[in-house]
Structure formats: C-alpha cells, structure tokens
Amino acid sequence: MPAFSARAPGKIIFFGEHAVVYGRPAIAVPVEQVQARAVVIPDPIAPRGRVWIQAPDINLDCALGELPEDNALRQLIQLLQAHFKIDHLPACTLRVSSSIPVAAGLGSGAAISVACLRALSAFLGAPLVVEHVSALAYEIEKIYHGTPSGIDNTVVAYAQPVYFVHGQPIEFLSIRQPLTLVIGDTGRSSPTSGPVGALRQAWLENSQPYEALFDRAGEIARSARADLEAGTISHLGRLMDENHALLVQMGVSSPELDHLVSAARVAGASGAKLSGGGWGGNMIALVEPELAEQVSTALLESGASHTLITQVRP
Ligand code: MEV
C-alpha cells in the first residue's frame, strides 16, 4: 500500500506581528529551507481506529490513545474526524518530523498541522483544498495560542507571501524584487501564547497607548506592501527598524533579540526586527546579498544559536 506524505514550510512575519491580532495588516512570507513533514503509512491488517504516532524528533512512538487528551496531534485528528464525519481513522501510522525550530516564531506548530492535515486527508481519499487546510489548522492554533490572528496557518498553508488582515479575504503579495534576509535564532524557545497573552493583558488594562502602537505598525505594513509591490525596497530596512521599536514598546522583545537586532545593523543590515511572537525565538535582518554571510557571522558571534539565509522571491 502506498504511503501518503505532505510537507509544509516555515514562515517569518516580515511586518506587523501582534498588531495583526488587533485587526491591523501584517506581511508574512514562507521559508522553504525549513519544513515540517507528515507521512501516513496505511496498516491493512490492524482494526480501524488503531493509529500509531511516531515523532522521532521528540521521541514519541505510541498509540494515539496513549497521548494526553490535549495533545496537538490528538486534537488535530479529532478535528479531522469531525470534518469528515467519521468516528475513527482507518488503521495507520502517522510519522511526523520537522526541521523548523519549535516555539521560535517560525511557524512550526502551523506547519506540522498543515502537513498532517494534507497527508491524513489524502490517506482518507479526500485531499483537503487549501482553504480547508488553513481553516482547520487555524482551529488548532486557537487551542494552543489563545487568540491567533490566523496569519501563521494562512502563510504556511498557501506557501506564498501574504498581506493579511484578520477576517478579510487573503491577499497575496507580488514581490517585484528578490530580497535577502538573514534569520537569527536567539536559541531561547518562547511559545507564542506567552507574549500574546501578556500583551492582551496590558491592552485590557490600558488600551489607548497600545492602540496607537498597533495603528503605527499597520501603517508600516501598508507602506512596506507598497514598496514590495513597486520594487522600491530602499525604505524597507528603515520600516523594519521602526517596527522593531514598536514591538519593544509593546513589551514583546527581549535583551537577546535586541542584541541580535543591533548586531545585524552594525554588521551592515539595512534593517532588522524580531519576527513572530517574541520574548525569544528569531529575528530577521534585511541585507544586500553580498553582505549576507557577514551579517550571519556577526549574529553567530553575538550569541545566535544558528542562522539561516533566505531569499524572498518575486
Ligand atoms: C505569530 O507568528 C504572530 C503573532 O502576531 C500572533 C498571531 O498573529 O496570531 C504574534
């Protein structure tokens, strides 16, 4: 019997994280160098409902029923069964692996959900269309991140640069000129729910200053979109710097992120900012292609646990 496999890329938020949770626009792009992969191997002998889960990256090798009720894969399979109105999956092994660092702002959770939903629905003989993949992955995001905007599951499911506003039709960005980004990992994992929850608490206590920060972040995302679509990218670095300053004021940066952001600028990046939830995880720097290695080395020397050079292509 054939196996059913699917992949999904990582992502970075180029502009507008956090403000996007409050209805402002944001820009995200897929990162194809890191991927989540799911493989479903049908078991023609075992009875229906006997699903075995293997996730060697996290030393998981057990029956689905042995996972805690709130485990993400268990929730995902329940959601998929409800979607297809079935009580059990046919017997199979679901093998999940990922090269996307976990809790690092690179969309690892969304990518695992998307890859699993695709592989499992193909196994069921009814491959989900991308809208449904994204919508179901969003349901999983809600369980784990509290109040997600939906940007992570969208960019990962569609695997295209998106200009995203919560609740509005997805707009894809046509980027005119290739861009080189260096991604630097603080090495500190930070689940998105931490900074998202703390910011919500602060906003509930005193919304006005945060609304002003979100408004400005939204304006930055709008300008960045215009620049990306026109191919006039000379202001993008400055916009990233300003976006980072706003994220600092929102309380979602960290000393490690600020340190890497400054190191990238000193090493010649046109601009730099944290990317994703913050408090840890990754930052991104926009660079001229010939400076990419230099900026990457500077980040490693400044404490980054690893770096990745990626191109955003038209
Ligand atoms: C996380 O990648 C982006 C955040 O804006 C959260 C969200 O939009 O759901 C921090």
Side-chain angles (χ1 to χ4, degrees):
M1 266 201 169
F4 298 85
S5 79
R7 290 168 190 272
K11 68 95 206 344
I12 50 174
I13 308 279
F14 205 169
F15 291 98
E17 52 275 269
H18 288 289
V20 68
V21 175
Y22 299 83
R24 275 52 163 206
I27 295 174
V29 298
V31 177
E32 299 284 350
Q33 285 111 316
V34 284
Q35 299 254 343
R37 182 161 189 251
V39 182
V40 181
I41 303 145
D43 182 339
I45 296 163
R48 201 176 166 81
R50 190 259 185 214
V51 176
W52 197 262
I53 305 288
Q54 292 179 335
D57 301 342
I58 52 167
N59 290 324
L60 200 68
D61 191 2
C62 65
L64 179 66
E66 287 172 48
L67 293 174
E69 190 62 45
D70 64 351
N71 175 275
L73 286 174
R74 197 164 165 174
Q75 297 275 342
L76 179 137
I77 287 172
Q78 274 166 15
L79 212 71
L80 195 74
Q81 290 174 170
H83 179 86
F84 285 114
K85 302 189 174 55
I86 53 174
D87 289 337
H88 298 290
L89 290 178
C92 64
T93 295
L94 169 64
R95 191 172 296 156
V96 184
S97 57
S98 173
S99 58
I100 310 173
V102 176
L106 294 183
S108 128
I112 289 173
S113 296
V114 165
C116 288
L117 289 165
R118 287 209 168 112
L120 285 166
S121 62
F123 164 58
L124 290 171
L128 289 167
V129 294
V130 63
E131 290 85 347
H132 289 160
V133 170
S134 183
L136 289 173
Y138 181 52
E139 294 305 312
I140 301 288
E141 295 282 289
K142 279 200 246 174
I143 300 173
Y144 292 95
H145 303 314
T147 55
S149 63
I151 192 168
D152 284 16
N153 50 282
T154 301
V155 64
V156 164
Y158 287 86
Q160 286 186 58
V162 294
Y163 179 83
F164 181 89
V165 183
H166 178 79
Q168 291 191 14
I170 305 155
E171 295 181 62
F172 299 107
L173 270 183
S174 55
I175 291 173
R176 273 292 180 86
Q177 218 172 295
L179 300 170
T180 305
L181 293 171
V182 183
I183 306 174
D185 195 337
T186 59
R188 182 180 287 258
S189 69
S190 167
T192 315
S193 54
V196 167
L199 180 54
R200 176 154 301 260
Q201 199 50 46
W203 173 80
L204 285 171
E205 280 160 24
N206 184 11
S207 66
Q208 195 270 326
Y210 292 100
E211 287 292 325
L213 297 173
F214 300 152
D215 281 343
R216 182 61 199 138
E219 283 164 22
I220 289 175
R222 265 179 231 111
S223 306
R225 176 196 193 162
D227 286 347
L228 287 165
E229 291 190 330
T232 51
I233 58 173
S234 54
H235 302 303
L236 280 180
R238 190 180 46 73
L239 293 176
M240 288 170 78
D241 289 345
E242 199 191 332
N243 197 164
H244 183 74
L246 295 172
L247 290 160
V248 170
Q249 292 178 67
M250 290 175 206
V252 297
S253 193
S254 71
E256 292 92 343
L257 283 165
D258 293 343
H259 184 60
L260 293 184
V261 163
S262 333
R265 289 178 191 147
V266 170
S270 328
K273 62 182 276 294
L274 73 82
S275 179
W279 281 5
N282 280 271
M283 48 71 66
I284 55 173
L286 178 67
V287 296
E288 294 297 333
E290 61 278 12
L291 292 181
E293 283 300 337
Q294 177 176 318
V295 171
S296 165
T297 305
L299 289 173
L300 291 167
E301 284 170 354
S302 305
S305 61
H306 54 270
T307 60
L308 228 155
I309 298 171
T310 191
Q311 285 238 315
V312 184
R313 294 189 177 280

